[in-house]
Amino acid sequence: MLVSRRFSFAVRPLLVGWLLSVFLASASFAQIVFFPHINQSGNTLLQTTLLDEATVVNDQDDAIVLVTSWLNPGAVLITVPNDDDPNLFYSTADRWSITNGNNRAMPVGSGYHVFAARGLSDTFIHVTNGPNTSGDTTFFTNPLTAVRPDRLVFVTANRSPDGVPGPTDPHPLAVSYSAFADQWTVTHLDDATMPVGQSFNVLVQDLDPDGVTPAFVHEATAGSLSFSITYIDHPQLNNAPGSLLLVSQDVTPPATVNPRRVGILYDVIRRQWGIINQDDTNMPLGARFHVFALPRMFTDGFENGNTDWWSSTTGD
């Protein structure tokens, strides 16, 4: 069962996170966090920012972490882009960190929406090798993604799977479904050759646009586009600046390929979340994205740093 389906959870807004304890239909127990991270002077140095979440992330080299770049923490009007490729790295401090793949300085004031899990059957680590790699693309071999073009796939490069150092991936990523292989793939949007030995963290979700944690496809249309941004019009995310989103670009034909690094922002004027090209080039009509969200409309100001307790329980 996928995490977007039936579950119960208690949410506590910590400085850096929310804990979701998820009971799956298989009777296994998984720990999940979905939290906002803000790059600040105390957690950011050179090209790296250090995550800090006590339950799943810290001291857990087997955690599977995925991130989406966030340009305006606090829903401010001024954005702080980070036009680089996030790579997860397990540091000597026994903490997961996010490193810019091209070694550009990590900008203070930007941030990430972070999803991390341990023991979740809907996540896996994909490692490239000769048989599963061709040109700029690597093909998954996991049954979660085989013969399932209807599923949604999210990926982040991982420099140290299970805490073991590996190569950096300094390239913008997209997912695509190969009808020939009946399998999902990861592609370098800049056409760079996919190296052998590169690792990717993967989360798979069923399409569930109206679920408690909606998972859906967003396509850039004439009505959603505004220069470099395509706005998401979703009833659970509109007027909800405290929501959390994971986003991956899908270039499966006939989607328009958008060869850019993207991030997310919340527009306080439109009261909608948007997906933005970080280099500020125009977002093309027909660009397609997978979105997985935890909707929340905070009334306690958590999106601006309030850490008061609150909780919610959800089930069928």
Side-chain angles (χ1 to χ4, degrees), residues 62-316:
D62 62 341
I64 294 183
V65 184
L66 297 98
V67 302
T68 294
S69 183
W70 180 27
L71 276 68
N72 67 334
V76 296
L77 290 174
I78 298 174
T79 60
V80 182
N82 181 23
D83 190 21
D84 211 307
D85 307 298
N87 281 244
L88 277 305
F89 181 73
Y90 194 73
S91 72
T92 54
D94 292 327
R95 302 248 295 274
W96 284 99
S97 62
I98 305 169
T99 297
N100 278 337
N102 291 281
N103 293 323
R104 295 186 181 95
M106 183 72 68
V108 171
S110 66
Y112 295 91
H113 286 186
V114 183
F115 177 95
R118 298 182 68 234
L120 180 64
S121 61
D122 307 317
T123 60
F124 62 92
I125 297 175
H126 173 79
V127 182
T128 63
N129 56 38
N132 69 26
T133 301
S134 176
D136 59 5
T137 298
T138 181
F139 296 77
F140 294 151
T141 56
N142 192 287
L144 284 174
T145 52
V147 201
R148 289 302 303 267
D150 55 318
R151 282 193 162 163
L152 306 184
V153 179
F154 304 86
V155 296
T156 301
N158 184 352
R159 283 182 52 195
S160 51
D162 295 320
V164 180
T168 299
D169 189 77
H171 306 285
L173 303 175
V175 297
S176 178
Y177 189 80
S178 168
F180 171 77
D182 276 332
Q183 185 58 274
W184 281 93
T185 71
V186 180
T187 296
H188 283 156
L189 285 169
D190 58 3
D191 299 325
T193 299
M194 184 68 69
V196 170
Q198 180 62 57
S199 298
F200 297 97
N201 291 348
V202 184
L203 169 69
V204 182
Q205 288 289 280
D206 279 335
L207 187 68
D208 189 13
D210 302 315
V212 175
T213 52
F216 57 94
V217 176
H218 171 79
E219 185 165 321
T221 64
S224 74
L225 286 170
S226 178
F227 300 102
S228 60
I229 304 172
T230 176
Y231 285 99
I232 299 169
D233 186 6
H234 190 285
Q236 295 186 68
L237 300 178
N238 295 345
N239 200 32
S243 299
L244 296 170
L245 291 79
L246 277 183
V247 171
S248 64
Q249 185 170 181
D250 178 5
V251 295
T252 306
T256 302
V257 176
N258 173 47
R260 307 289 183 230
R261 302 176 182 97
V262 300
I264 55 173
L265 55 76
Y266 184 81
D267 189 317
V268 295
I269 306 301
R270 294 181 62 129
R271 298 185 178 184
Q272 289 181 323
W273 284 93
I275 301 170
I276 181 172
N277 280 339
Q278 300 230 38
D279 65 359
D280 211 32
T281 57
N282 285 348
M283 179 73 68
L285 186 71
R288 184 185 299 159
F289 301 91
H290 295 181
V291 181
F292 174 56
L294 178 62
R296 280 292 172 262
M297 178 56 203
F298 290 101
T299 58
D300 64 0
F302 175 56
E303 68 274 15
N304 293 315
N306 189 305
T307 58
D308 292 345
W309 281 77
W310 73 283
S311 64
S312 175
T313 301
T314 303
D316 284 351

